[in-house]
Amino acid sequence: MVGGRWGWRTTFAVIVLAALAALAILATTLPNLPGAPRQPLATRLAPLARPAIARLVLAVFLCGTGGLMFYTYLAPLLAQAGLSRQHLPLVLLEVGVIGVPSAFLGGWLADTYGARRARLVVIGGHVIALAILAALVAADVHWPLLIVAIALWSVFAWALNPPLQASTMKAAPDSPMAAVALNISGLYLGTAAAAALGGLLADDPRPAWIPPAATILLVLAWLSASRRTEA
């Protein structure tokens, strides 16, 4: 909304102000804790030598690539359904509002049903939501159905991290923090891949190919996460 009213550069100023506020809060409220000892890069990457952790990192990379490819190119998909760019902030607000309780949902599922079952349910739900979105976009449905499907996708997209992080920590009880760091690195690499692959699909053949491609990537993520990984 800020970008639409005052220009996209203004959004960066808002981000700077929010970051400064967060910095002030953290600086005044967090205890002064000693840092972890320095480790060479080989030591930090060592957990990837374990097949269980490598499969989980691959799963989160594929989830990031598929799910965030859809999210990154939401604007052209909404335009195809008949919504103008002025509606995009409201759809993003929907995603964010649903995302907050969904993150807690992912943690609750992992605590209640175990990390493996939780991650398979969440990734499986992500697959189903993206498949529904792919069908709706392909059918050129009117936008209300698409908004409902995006809400469903938001639940599983933002419930993803807690089960996968819990799974990664259980798979590496001797180095849980290093394993979780690799997990998050996989997510950010997936974010970069999502932008690149989504851009190629959006240019040629067209944005409608993004949801089917994302669905395929999430199926591969489910397969990668389906094997038992806990130590």
Side-chain angles (χ1 to χ4, degrees), residues 181-192:
L182 291 170
N183 184 284
I184 295 300
S185 296
L187 179 63
Y188 287 131
L189 285 172
T191 304

Side-chain angles (χ1 to χ4, degrees), residues 39 46-47 50 53 168-179 231:
Q39 293 179 331
R50 303 180 190 180
I53 295 176
T168 305
M169 294 177 75
K170 288 183 182 239
D174 55 334
S175 55
M177 298 314 297

Side-chain angles (χ1 to χ4, degrees), residues 70-83 85 88 137 146 198 202 206-208 210:
F70 169 76
Y71 184 62
T72 301
Y73 292 92
L74 197 53
L77 291 169
L78 292 175
Q80 185 173 314
L83 284 173
R85 295 187 70 87
L88 180 61
V137 171
L146 193 64
R206 62 194 182 102
I210 290 176

Side-chain angles (χ1 to χ4, degrees), residues 12-96:
F12 288 90
V14 173
I15 292 170
V16 169
L17 293 175
L20 288 173
L23 177 63
I25 293 170
L26 294 175
T28 55
T29 59
L30 285 181
N32 186 17
L33 300 175
R38 292 191 178 189
Q39 293 179 331
L41 182 60
T43 302
R44 295 180 183 275
L45 296 178
L48 282 177
R50 303 180 190 180
I53 295 176
R55 285 195 299 270
L56 289 171
V57 173
L58 175 62
V60 78
F61 168 77
L62 292 170
C63 287
T65 304
L68 292 173
M69 178 169 60
F70 169 76
Y71 184 62
T72 301
Y73 292 92
L74 197 53
L77 291 169
L78 292 175
Q80 185 173 314
L83 284 173
S84 67
R85 295 187 70 87
Q86 283 72 28
H87 294 97
L88 180 61
L90 295 176
V91 178
L92 295 177
L93 178 63
E94 172 197 39
V95 172

